[in-house]
Amino acid sequence: MKRIIFFLCAATLLTACTDDTMDRLNRNENDPEEVPSRFLLTDAETSSAVNIISGDFAFYTAVYMEQQTGIYNQMYNAEMRLSEIFSSATFDNAWDNTYQNLRSLKIIRNRCAAGGPEAGSNRLLGMAEVLTALNLATLTDLMGDIPWSEALQPGVIYQPELDSQESIYTEIFSLLDDAILNLQKEDLASLTPVGSQDLIYGDQSADTQADLWIKTAYGLKARYALRLSYRNPQYANVIEYANLSFDTADEQCEYRYDGISAINPFYAFYINRRYFGASESLHQKLVARNDPREALFFKPYPGTDQIVFAPNGSPEQRQGYYGISGLLSPTRPTPLLSYHEVQFVKAEAQTRLGLTGDAQNSLYKAIVAAFENVGLTAQEASDYFQSEVLPRFEENPIAEIINQKYLACYEGEVLETYNDYRRLSAMGEKVLALENPLPFPLRLPYGNSDVVSNNHVANAYGNGDYVTTEPVWWAGGER
C-alpha cells in the first residue's frame, strides 16, 4: 500500500513539474504580459501621433477640408465621394488603433491609481489621463456616439453599448481635471520616474515636464470647451483655460521624428502612395490674401517644371502630374496641440465676448507662431498681419480667425479644421468656403471590426449613409 501511495505522489509531482516546465516553454519572453507603465506611455504617445492625430483620420479629412485634393485610388474615391466615405472598412485600422491605445492608457491609469502596483506614480497617471482625453475626444469628434463606459473589458463585455457624445464629453473634462491635479503632486521617491520614456517632454527636468503636461491639459480644455459652442457656450472658460496653457511655441505638445527610425506620417504616405495633389481651393485662398506661405506650401511634382493644381471635386485620376505639398519632410513634427491653435481658440472666444482688442492681439500671436512654424520670420508675419489680416478682421473677425486657423493648420492639424467647419455650420456661420460641390461627410463611419461583431455599433452604422446626413451631437445632431 505504501508503495502505491509513493508512486501516486511521485506521479503527481512529475505532472506538476511537467506543467510548470511547459508553461515556461510556452511563454514568449519577448512579449511580456506586464511591463512598467512608463514603457506603455512611450507606445501610447507614438500611437496618438502616428495613428490617431495623423494616419487615415487625417488623410481623409484633409481631402474633405480641401487642404489636399485626392487624385488617386482611395483618396480619389474620397474626393469624388464614392464608397470610401461610407464604408466601415475605411477607418477600421484607425478605429482599432484608437481603442488599442485607450486600452494601454487604461492599464497605465489602473496601475498608477490608488491600490495599483505603481500607486504614487502621480505624474505618469496625469500624463495617461491627458492622452486618454485626447484619444477619446478625437474618436467621438469624428464618429459621434461610441462605446466607452462598457468598452475595454475583453473577456467580460463582448458587445459594449454606445455612450452618448454628451456623456463622453463630461468624461473628457473629468479626465483633464484629474490630470491637472495628479500632475501637481510629487511622485513617490521609490518609484522610477517617467524620464525619457516620455517622448514629448521627457527631455525636460521632472518639474518642467509636469508643468508642460499641465499646460497641455489646460489647452485641451480650451479646445474642447470651444467645441461645445453650439450646445453650451463657455467663452469665458475658454479664455481662462487658454491663459493657463502654453506661453510660447517652444512649449507646445508635439511628437518629433528622427527621419530614420520614425518618419512623419504625411511624408510616409507620400512616399508610399502619392495619392494627394496640390489643392486648387487652398491655393486660391492663399493667393487672395497675398500670403507668403503660398511659395512654401506647394511645389511641382518631382521631375516636372511647374505646379499644377488639382481642382476640388473634379481632378483627373492620375499620378505624377499634380503638384505636391512643399512642407513634406520626414522630420516634420506632428502637433498634438500647438501654441498657435491655442491662440486662435482664445481669439475666437474673445471676439464672441466683444473683447475685440484682446482678440486682435491673440490673432497676431497665432499668426506669428504659424509663420515661424513653417520657417518664415516674425517680421514677415507682422507685415502680412497689417496689410492683409487686419482689414479682414475689422470687417468680419470670426471669418478671418477661422480662415487663418485653417491656413495655419495645413498638413498636420487638419482634424481641427474639420471640427471647426462642422461646429460653425451648426452655428449658422459659413465663414470658410469649400469648393467641392459633392456631398460633405458630416462624420466618419464606424470601424468594421465592431460593425460586424457588435450589434449596438452595427445598428448605429446601418448602411453607412448617415455620414452625409447626420451631424454629431455637438454639431446639432442626435448622436
Side-chain angles (χ1 to χ4, degrees):
M1 183 67 179
K2 291 181 179 179
R3 180 173 296 181
I4 294 173
I5 294 173
F6 171 79
F7 281 120
L8 286 173
C9 291
T12 301
L13 289 171
L14 181 61
T15 301
C17 289
T18 302
D19 288 344
D20 290 342
T21 301
M22 291 305 295
D23 286 343
R24 287 196 298 272
L25 289 174
N26 287 330
R27 183 179 298 120
N28 182 356
E29 300 297 339
N30 293 319
D31 186 20
E33 295 178 7
E34 291 190 9
V35 297
S37 293
R38 65 184 185 279
F39 296 120
L40 290 177
L41 180 75
T42 305
D43 285 347
E45 290 178 337
T46 301
S47 181
S48 295
V50 175
N51 298 321
I52 316 306
I53 302 304
S54 297
D56 287 340
F57 289 152
F59 300 152
Y60 279 86
T61 53
V63 171
Y64 302 157
M65 290 308 299
E66 300 181 9
Q67 291 198 349
Q68 305 282 354
T69 302
I71 51 91
Y72 201 76
N73 212 332
Q74 290 104 321
M75 293 300 107
Y76 176 81
N77 292 342
E79 184 72 42
M80 304 308 294
R81 309 298 195 251
L82 302 178
S83 61
E84 242 75 18
I85 70 168
F86 305 102
S87 173
S88 62
T90 301
F91 297 101
D92 191 45
N93 288 338
W95 169 271
D96 288 346
N97 284 330
T98 309
Y99 275 109
Q100 289 166 7
N101 212 29
L102 288 167
R103 172 65 176 163
S104 295
L105 291 164
K106 181 181 179 181
I107 293 171
I108 298 174
R109 292 188 290 122
N110 288 343
R111 289 179 63 87
C112 296
E118 296 181 63
S121 189
N122 300 307
R123 290 174 171 178
L124 177 54
L125 174 58
M127 295 173 200
E129 288 168 331
V130 173
L131 288 173
T132 299
L134 175 69
N135 280 260
L136 186 58
T138 301
L139 197 62
T140 191
D141 285 344
L142 296 173
M143 298 181 175
D145 295 357
I146 55 172
W148 175 241
S149 60
E150 293 186 349
L152 309 180
Q153 300 183 66
V156 179
I157 296 179
Y158 294 94
Q159 295 195 19
E161 293 187 359
L162 280 74
D163 293 68
S164 70
Q165 187 174 71
E166 182 177 11
S167 68
I168 289 171
Y169 254 83
T170 299
E171 177 76 2
I172 289 165
F173 285 108
S174 178
L175 284 162
L176 292 171
D177 287 337
D178 289 346
I180 291 167
L181 292 175
N182 284 315
L183 287 160
Q184 292 174 336
K185 299 175 183 177
E186 295 291 334
D187 286 341
L188 289 180
S190 60
L191 294 171
T192 303
V194 179
S196 61
Q197 293 302 137
D198 173 10
L199 299 182
I200 296 174
Y201 293 127
D203 56 348
Q204 305 289 327
S205 69
D207 287 344
T208 301
Q209 180 185 34
D211 288 342
L212 290 173
W213 276 106
I214 290 171
K215 290 185 176 187
T216 298
Y218 275 117
L220 291 175
K221 288 189 70 173
R223 172 198 280 179
Y224 299 135
L226 186 65
R227 185 89 82 242
L228 300 182
S229 296
Y230 173 77
R231 290 291 184 181
N232 181 25
Q234 305 173 47
Y235 300 124
N237 287 342
V238 172
I239 297 169
E240 177 187 350
Y241 301 148
N243 285 337
L244 292 169
S245 188
F246 311 126
D247 294 316
T248 68
D250 291 336
E251 297 180 336
Q252 66 188 18
C253 184
E254 63 181 19
Y255 185 90
R256 296 174 291 275
Y257 306 94
D258 62 12
I260 301 172
S261 61
I263 63 175
N264 176 278
F266 273 88
Y267 180 83
F269 190 68
Y270 165 72
I271 293 297
N272 293 325
R273 301 293 181 90
R274 309 193 184 208
Y275 289 176
F276 286 146
S279 167
E280 173 68 28
S281 73
L282 175 59
H283 163 62
Q284 292 300 334
K285 288 179 177 65
L286 292 161
V287 169
R289 287 173 166 77
N290 295 308
D291 196 312
R293 288 172 289 188
E294 162 72 10
L296 300 175
F297 280 10
F298 310 111
K299 63 182 180 182
Y301 187 86
T304 64
D305 296 330
Q306 61 181 0
I307 302 172
V308 179
F309 291 96
N312 308 90
S314 58
E316 297 180 47
Q317 184 171 197
R318 60 187 297 188
Q319 293 177 297
Y321 175 65
Y322 293 114
I324 61 173
S325 167
L327 298 184
L328 289 169
S329 167
T331 59
R332 183 171 175 79
T334 292
L336 278 66
L337 179 69
S338 67
Y339 170 76
H340 54 254
E341 182 197 335
V342 173
Q343 293 301 314
F344 282 122
V345 163
K346 183 163 69 169
E348 181 182 341
Q350 289 166 330
T351 297
R352 294 191 184 280
L353 290 180
L355 305 173
T356 307
D358 291 341
Q360 181 178 317
N361 184 51
S362 297
L363 179 59
Y364 176 79
K365 291 179 180 178
I367 291 174
V368 169
F371 268 52
E372 291 180 335
N373 188 53
V374 294
L376 296 175
T377 66
Q379 186 59 55
E380 288 172 302
S382 181
D383 293 343
Y384 172 73
F385 185 86
Q386 292 297 325
S387 63
E388 301 293 338
V389 177
L390 193 54
R392 289 179 172 83
F393 176 81
E394 291 172 344
E395 180 179 349
N396 188 336
I398 293 296
E400 189 58 15
I401 290 168
I402 296 303
N403 276 274
Q404 287 299 329
K405 186 178 179 182
Y406 173 84
L407 298 175
C409 288
Y410 176 55
E411 195 164 295
E413 300 172 89
V414 65
L415 295 183
E416 286 313 299
T417 71
Y418 183 59
N419 293 327
D420 278 343
Y421 184 80
R422 295 180 295 152
R423 172 177 62 89
L424 292 165
S425 294
M427 297 171 68
E429 299 178 358
K430 295 284 188 179
V431 296
L432 182 64
L434 298 180
E435 301 302 322
N436 190 331
L438 298 170
F440 183 81
L442 300 174
R443 64 206 300 161
L444 307 186
Y446 297 115
N448 189 60
S449 60
D450 276 77
V451 170
V452 300
S453 64
N454 185 338
N455 289 333
H456 303 296
V457 177
N459 291 335
Y461 172 77
N463 63 3
D465 62 2
Y466 70 104
V467 302
T468 58
T469 60
E470 297 184 37
V472 299
W473 169 78
W474 53 247
E478 298 299 320
R479 58 186 178 112

